[in-house]
Amino acid sequence: MKQESGSEIASLIREVNATLNAQLREAFKENDLTPPQMMVIFMLAEEKKLKVSEISTKMNLANSTVSGIIDRLEKSGYVKRMRSEVDRRVVHVVLSEQVEELHHSFHETVTQFLGTIAADATNEQIEQVLTGLNTLRTLLSGKKTKNLRCE
Amino acid sequence: MKQESGSEIASLIREVNATLNAQLREAFKENDLTPPQMMVIFMLAEEKKLKVSEISTKMNLANSTVSGIIDRLEKSGYVKRMRSEVDRRVVHVVLSEQVEELHHSFHETVTQFLGTIAADATNEQIEQVLTGLNTLRTLLSGKKTKNLRCE
DNA sequence: AACTAATATTTCGTATGCGAATTATTATAT
DNA sequence: ATATAATAATTCGCATACGAAATATTAGTT
């Protein structure tokens, strides 16, 4: 019974994640922004300045992945890289001047979208979702990975 | 308050999905199988024969994505493509002879892994997780996507 | 039967996403 | 002070992942 639960949980996670991404993609396609690109700008609108590694941590991504995302955001003029003067290993990412002026609108719009996830939900439903996800997170993080081999 | 929930939920989904994938990757790296490759073989061990589109539906992936996954599984000898005689548009995917013999071991091992997700959990926790995920799935699927534009 | 629409899959271009290796810089130890 | 370790970011190769377009085949229309 627990094994079936595992399979079901894995499948549900995949599905929910895919749906959320699809809706994000759809909602922001007019701005030519992909979901992770949108999240980076969203965070920069809040925090002004972030190290590449800080973005990686906040988004649960490898540094190499974020580096590529920043590459494309820089090429399309949304953000700028600024080498830190204090520690020259560090790269700070900031919104470019043009986007800087729109960051209020941006942050509002994204917040508005994220709000629609929970908009039709009762407080009890939101509670359910958050409780479930947090429980799962705890279960997964406590799990030590066992190497398996077939054959 | 609901808006913050949306942001939190999105972030949790990302995190949980990433963690689950990382553990799957880790658990099956000795077989040189990626998570989606592993899932395909797992399903074929159960169902014997699946159309490309059936795999896409079950895994919540685009046909084009699955086509590539099958390409690589075929190249490494795990599966074979078989053009249907009844409807020549259809491609059936089956386990190759070598893997066929191991499919019991395979299915067991995967089931075992998926079981470990829920192994340390109480029945109440599993209930919580499933309830939460199903609630979220319903909330997301009922959401009509509104196009948003910043600037 | 010929034309059109629908369906199944593949191909293509682009953007994630990862781990391993590399580069550049800073911190630490001897 | 120099060798070594640690840290931050990038580069590289590969495997997803998507949508749009192309291809092949079947179904439906007239």
Side-chain angles (χ1 to χ4, degrees):
Chain A
M1 178 274 194
K2 282 192 176 182
Q3 291 177 344
E4 295 151 31
S5 306
S7 171
E8 194 180 345
I9 289 169
S11 175
L12 275 170
I13 285 290
R14 278 189 79 86
E15 181 182 350
V16 167
N17 187 58
T19 306
L20 192 57
N21 268 324
Q23 296 191 0
L24 271 174
R25 221 180 353 262
E26 176 65 21
F28 288 90
K29 69 177 176 190
E30 304 218 355
N31 287 90
D32 262 313
L33 286 172
T34 64
Q37 286 172 2
M38 196 266 295
M39 285 307 295
V40 169
I41 297 187
F42 176 71
M43 294 191 315
L44 286 176
E46 270 184 325
E47 311 257 359
K48 296 295 182 200
K49 188 169 83 170
L50 285 168
K51 299 198 288 182
V52 171
S53 53
E54 288 172 338
I55 297 174
S56 306
T57 304
K58 281 172 185 284
M59 293 182 68
N60 262 292
L61 295 174
N63 281 339
S64 52
T65 303
V66 172
S67 191
I69 293 169
I70 303 300
D71 280 349
R72 290 176 284 275
L73 278 176
E74 202 171 22
K75 197 158 67 177
S76 52
Y78 279 99
V79 305
K80 276 191 313 184
R81 275 179 167 96
M82 299 214 305
R83 182 69 65 171
S84 163
E85 294 299 326
V86 184
D87 181 343
R88 299 193 46 72
R89 290 172 298 185
V90 172
V91 168
H92 290 294
V93 184
V94 297
L95 292 178
S96 67
E97 284 80 3
Q98 311 93 292
V99 185
E100 239 294 327
E101 295 172 15
L102 312 168
H103 82 271
H104 281 307
S105 151
F106 212 99
H107 193 266
E108 235 171 73
T109 311
V110 175
T111 304
Q112 178 191 336
F113 169 81
L114 291 174
T116 63
I117 296 175
D120 305 331
T122 65
N123 284 340
E124 193 196 354
Q125 284 177 317
I126 296 178
E127 203 59 43
Q128 265 179 13
V129 172
L130 286 175
T131 304
L133 285 174
N134 278 309
T135 301
L136 180 54
R137 188 170 71 131
T138 308
L139 286 174
L140 285 175
S141 68
K143 215 164 78 59
K144 40 177 149 290
T145 315
K146 203 185 314 177
N147 269 20
L148 304 173
R149 177 141 190 79
C150 314
E151 186 204 10
Chain B
M1 178 275 193
K2 281 191 177 183
Q3 290 178 344
E4 295 152 30
S5 307
S7 171
E8 193 180 347
I9 288 170
S11 176
L12 273 170
I13 286 291
R14 276 187 81 84
E15 181 181 349
V16 167
N17 186 59
T19 306
L20 191 58
N21 268 325
Q23 297 192 359
L24 272 173
R25 217 176 2 255
E26 176 65 21
F28 288 90
K29 68 177 177 189
E30 303 218 357
N31 287 89
D32 264 312
L33 285 172
T34 64
Q37 286 173 2
M38 195 266 294
M39 285 307 295
V40 168
I41 297 187
F42 176 71
M43 294 190 317
L44 287 174
E46 270 183 327
E47 311 257 0
K48 296 292 182 204
K49 189 169 83 167
L50 285 169
K51 300 197 289 183
V52 171
S53 52
E54 289 172 337
I55 297 175
S56 306
T57 303
K58 282 173 185 282
M59 292 183 68
N60 262 292
L61 294 174
N63 281 338
S64 52
T65 302
V66 173
S67 190
I69 293 169
I70 304 300
D71 280 349
R72 290 176 285 275
L73 278 176
E74 201 171 24
K75 198 159 65 178
S76 52
Y78 279 100
V79 306
K80 277 192 312 185
R81 276 180 166 95
M82 301 213 307
R83 183 69 66 173
S84 163
E85 294 298 329
V86 184
D87 182 342
R88 300 194 44 73
R89 290 171 299 185
V90 172
V91 169
H92 290 294
V93 184
V94 297
L95 292 178
S96 66
E97 286 80 0
Q98 311 94 288
V99 185
E100 239 295 326
E101 296 172 15
L102 313 168
H103 80 274
H104 281 306
S105 150
F106 212 100
H107 194 266
E108 235 171 73
T109 311
V110 175
T111 304
Q112 178 191 336
F113 169 79
L114 292 174
T116 61
I117 296 176
D120 304 331
T122 65
N123 283 339
E124 193 196 355
Q125 283 176 318
I126 296 178
E127 203 57 46
Q128 264 178 14
V129 172
L130 286 175
T131 304
L133 284 173
N134 278 309
T135 301
L136 181 53
R137 189 170 72 129
T138 308
L139 285 175
L140 286 175
S141 69
K143 214 164 80 58
K144 38 178 150 293
T145 313
K146 203 185 310 176
N147 269 19
L148 304 173
R149 180 141 188 78
C150 316
E151 187 204 14

